[in-house]
Amino acid sequence: MRKPAKSELRLLVIFGAAVFLALNLFGVRAWMARKQSIATNIAEIRTALEAAKSSMMAAESIKSAQGWMKEHPAPVMTGEGASTDLLNAVRAEAEKAGIKVVEETLLQASPESEGSSALLQTKLSGPFAGVARFLFELQSPTAWRAVSKMTIRSDTEPPNVVMDMEIRQYYVPPTTGGDSTGS
């Protein structure tokens, strides 16, 4: 066998170096792709851990609310009963606070994700102090009432205000005994 010439040896070394470089580049490329995949997985796991942590914190913070709800359950009544109770409560509280009920409209009772509620849209007029007292007394937590919308504007007489609001009365519908079972 003949001895390779210097130029052939150089070509062989250059070819070997090119193959070595190409293999290293493929290796670096595969390593970078794997590194990116691991980084993405770590980010997803961190996000999942943060979501789980916030869910656990929310569950811990809601325990006291669940205890309060067991001690003070929502009233059991029908939609009409809740509407009547809400209307009477608004009228009584307005009278005690010294404000005038200008208009009131009972809206359709609607089942919601939190439970059922009766809805009253009303317009009241009177002194601001009376309106504040009315709002405070009307929204006691144990009454299961809440103001969902409210606007207050000054009346033509300076100390008085006009308030438009929607009030919800939350309740639990009564359960029917044996009607839910099939025959």
Side-chain angles (χ1 to χ4, degrees):
M1 186 161 159
R2 93 176 165 84
K3 192 174 182 185
K6 268 188 160 182
S7 62
E8 290 175 335
L9 284 175
R10 273 191 207 133
L11 279 175
L12 184 61
V13 168
I14 291 172
F15 179 71
V19 169
F20 179 75
L21 181 64
L23 289 175
N24 280 329
L25 288 176
F26 281 124
V28 168
R29 181 175 168 207
W31 178 75
M32 293 295 283
R34 179 72 178 146
K35 181 181 172 189
Q36 182 64 32
S37 169
I38 290 171
T40 303
N41 287 342
I42 288 173
E44 289 173 0
I45 289 170
R46 281 185 180 156
T47 303
L49 283 173
E50 288 298 320
K53 188 187 293 184
S54 67
S55 295
M56 290 183 342
M57 288 174 57
E60 284 295 318
S61 67
I62 204 167
K63 281 184 180 179
S64 62
Q66 288 174 334
W68 184 89
M69 289 173 72
K70 284 181 182 176
E71 291 175 18
H72 306 92
V76 177
M77 56 179 86
T78 63
E80 293 81 23
S83 296
T84 303
D85 185 51
L86 177 60
L87 190 58
N88 291 337
V90 167
R91 288 176 180 169
E93 291 301 330
E95 186 177 324
K96 278 196 323 192
I99 58 177
K100 179 180 159 192
V101 177
V102 178
E103 67 182 58
E104 52 193 16
T105 306
L106 281 170
L107 301 176
Q108 183 66 33
S110 62
E112 298 179 344
S113 61
E114 308 90 36
S116 300
S117 67
L119 184 62
L120 174 69
Q121 188 174 25
T122 186
K123 186 178 201 175
L124 305 165
S125 175
F128 185 76
V131 168
R133 197 172 325 115
F134 168 81
L135 286 171
F136 182 76
E137 290 296 324
L138 186 74
Q139 295 187 92
S140 70
T142 55
W144 288 84
R145 286 188 292 264
V147 174
S148 53
K149 293 180 186 175
M150 178 176 68
T151 57
I152 298 177
R153 62 184 186 277
S154 56
D155 197 0
T156 55
E157 300 171 12
N160 289 343
V161 293
V162 175
M163 178 172 57
D164 294 313
M165 61 192 304
E166 284 185 5
I167 309 164
R168 287 190 182 277
Q169 171 71 57
Y170 293 98
Y171 65 94
V172 175
T175 58
T176 55
D179 293 337
S180 61
T181 59
S183 358

